[in-house]
Amino acid sequence: MKKLLALMLALLMLCACGVQEEPKNEELNMIDGVSYLGENGKYGFHKEGVPVTEPIFDEIIPEGKIEHRLIYFPEINDDKIGKIYAGAITDGTRKTVGHGEKGGTVLIEEPNTNYILYESGSDFVINETPFSNFVYIEPEGRGNGNYYFYGVFEGDRYEYKRESDRKWELYAKESGDISFWMEGMPQSVRYFWSNVFDGHGFADSEGNIIIEPIYSKTEIINDRIFAYDGHGSEIADDIVKTYIMDFDGNVVCDSYNYIERGTYGTGRFVLYAFGTDEEGNFGFWFIDENGNKLSEKFESIRFISEYMTDESGHGDYYENKAEVTKDGKTEIILTEEYVCSYK
């Protein structure tokens, strides 16, 4: 972390002052056309012998030379853009997300390497905030002829766009943060692990993490938290496990792959779950918010949404019916028998 603080301070200093006030090329131990070696044994970027950054990088890596599952940094064959280099600095290890043995998402340790990008011939680096991982988007990737880098750092997602010749600007930023939405309740946490996966979890009222933000989506039903485990997707086919937890993060039920919630009038809901029984056979059940089975096992369950009005005249779509299959026979049933109430 100390290295990262030094990196950011050095970048802010040079970017604020510009390159014209820095030492000339005879004072630099230039390695090649973009990098130089400092007396401290670290590397920095330069433009024609004038430093663009302090020598703070452990290594400088050309495009096409980083192998990491969350980084796309190809060799760029485009004469409209200069060669891109990544200044890398490693400071211990960090937690990141990986695939579990059964396809879900788990926390793993990896080197805490962060990157500052630089286009040859530029007066400034591309991203003043380091990237933990990043992807390059070719002009045809967005369909508008522009070049982009998407990167993440400490839970936030950044988008840099090349505005003109060798000039990059921060185009967009999405913050991963804690949403303090109701006092005394768990607070929703969002964390960008990569360009394609933002994980969700919960913190307590003081901001302490109680459920790591590694789930595709989360929701609260009464005094239970539902955490849907699947890497980068919210659809049922890609969820491998749904955990029901209490507000301290303890697992109450992990028997089901996926749980679907339907609305049954004002203040009421109905749940069905897909999973395996004690013999390992797949099936569907209506359940309550604790995971208790309220019905026999079905071969399939599908909610039927209908637009209805309540006693006050308010209209909405409700799942008061479901299509169920049992012993190969399909019928439509009322879900009233399995209705639960919000507390």
Side-chain angles (χ1 to χ4, degrees):
M1 188 59 67
K2 291 181 179 179
K3 289 184 180 180
L4 285 179
L5 291 174
L7 178 152
M8 296 181 72
L9 288 173
L11 287 173
L12 288 173
M13 180 185 73
L14 286 179
C15 289
C17 297
V19 299
Q20 67 273 11
E21 299 180 8
E22 300 304 321
K24 299 303 178 182
N25 58 358
E26 61 267 22
E27 301 178 27
L28 294 184
N29 181 8
M30 291 189 291
I31 303 301
D32 52 35
V34 297
S35 64
Y36 70 95
L37 181 65
E39 295 181 356
N40 60 359
K42 302 293 184 180
Y43 298 92
F45 290 117
H46 74 84
K47 175 189 176 184
E48 298 177 353
V50 180
V52 177
T53 70
E54 296 282 359
I56 50 179
F57 302 110
D58 297 317
E59 59 179 328
I60 289 179
I61 309 170
E63 58 194 39
K65 298 299 182 181
I66 297 179
E67 294 185 3
H68 188 284
R69 60 192 175 82
L70 299 179
I71 292 177
Y72 178 65
F73 187 45
E75 188 171 355
I76 302 170
N77 297 309
D78 191 333
D79 57 9
K80 296 180 182 179
I81 185 172
K83 292 296 182 182
I84 307 294
Y85 297 81
I89 184 169
T90 300
D91 185 12
T93 62
R94 64 171 176 245
K95 291 182 178 180
T96 188
V97 292
H99 291 289
E101 293 182 359
K102 298 182 179 180
T105 304
V106 296
L107 285 178
I108 60 175
E109 290 279 334
E110 71 174 9
N112 184 31
T113 302
N114 295 276
Y115 305 90
I116 293 293
L117 304 178
Y118 175 69
E119 181 182 349
S120 60
S122 299
D123 292 330
F124 304 98
V125 297
I126 293 175
N127 55 310
E128 294 180 16
T129 301
F131 290 155
S132 297
N133 57 74
F134 61 92
V135 297
Y136 168 71
I137 305 296
E138 297 90 342
E140 59 270 19
R142 288 281 293 260
N144 55 14
N146 294 314
Y147 305 87
Y148 294 88
F149 274 104
Y150 296 164
V152 299
F153 182 67
E154 294 186 345
D156 297 333
R157 178 180 179 273
Y158 299 84
E159 181 177 334
Y160 282 85
K161 175 184 176 184
R162 195 174 189 268
E163 296 287 358
S164 58
D165 184 33
R166 290 178 169 80
K167 183 175 178 60
W168 297 76
E169 298 288 348
L170 178 61
Y171 184 70
K173 176 184 177 183
E174 290 184 83
S175 295
D177 52 17
I178 299 176
S179 301
F180 292 95
W181 65 283
M182 184 178 294
E183 185 176 354
M185 295 286 286
Q187 311 303 318
S188 179
V189 178
R190 185 187 193 191
Y191 195 99
F192 286 91
W193 296 99
S194 71
N195 175 56
V196 296
F197 180 55
D198 57 315
H200 300 266
F202 282 94
D204 62 21
S205 59
E206 297 180 354
N208 302 306
I209 298 296
I210 55 177
I211 296 176
E212 294 286 357
I214 63 174
Y215 298 99
S216 289
K217 67 174 181 177
T218 56
E219 61 181 335
I220 292 179
I221 301 178
N222 290 334
D223 57 357
R224 293 291 180 254
I225 293 172
F226 286 62
Y228 297 80
D229 188 10
H231 196 86
S233 177
E234 295 183 3
I235 64 174
D237 289 345
D238 291 333
I239 299 298
V240 299
K241 180 74 71 174
T242 299
Y243 296 94
I244 303 177
M245 306 181 189
D246 62 23
F247 285 174
D248 292 322
N250 302 307
V251 175
V252 174
C253 177
D254 61 356
S255 301
Y256 307 111
N257 294 64
Y258 188 76
I259 298 173
E260 183 75 26
R261 173 169 59 166
T263 300
Y264 191 97
T266 303
R268 294 185 291 177
F269 63 93
V270 59
L271 301 170
Y272 76 75
F274 167 71
T276 55
D277 58 20
E278 291 76 8
E279 288 75 37
N281 300 312
F282 287 105
F284 290 76
W285 297 266
F286 289 101
I287 64 171
D288 64 17
E289 70 265 33
N290 294 304
N292 299 314
K293 295 180 175 68
L294 303 179
S295 73
E296 60 184 328
K297 183 175 74 173
F298 294 97
E299 294 159 19
S300 69
I301 298 176
R302 182 180 65 85
F303 283 133
I304 297 175
S305 295
E306 294 181 338
Y307 187 82
M308 304 177 66
T309 56
D310 58 20
E311 295 177 356
S312 65
H314 172 74
D316 207 342
Y317 284 92
Y318 299 115
E319 286 71 39
N320 293 5
K321 297 178 182 178
E323 179 185 273
V324 300
T325 301
K326 174 73 173 177
D327 297 328
K329 298 180 180 179
T330 299
E331 63 176 328
I332 294 176
I333 66 169
L334 298 177
T335 57
E336 182 177 8
E337 183 179 353
Y338 313 113
V339 168
C340 303
S341 297
Y342 292 110
K343 298 178 181 178

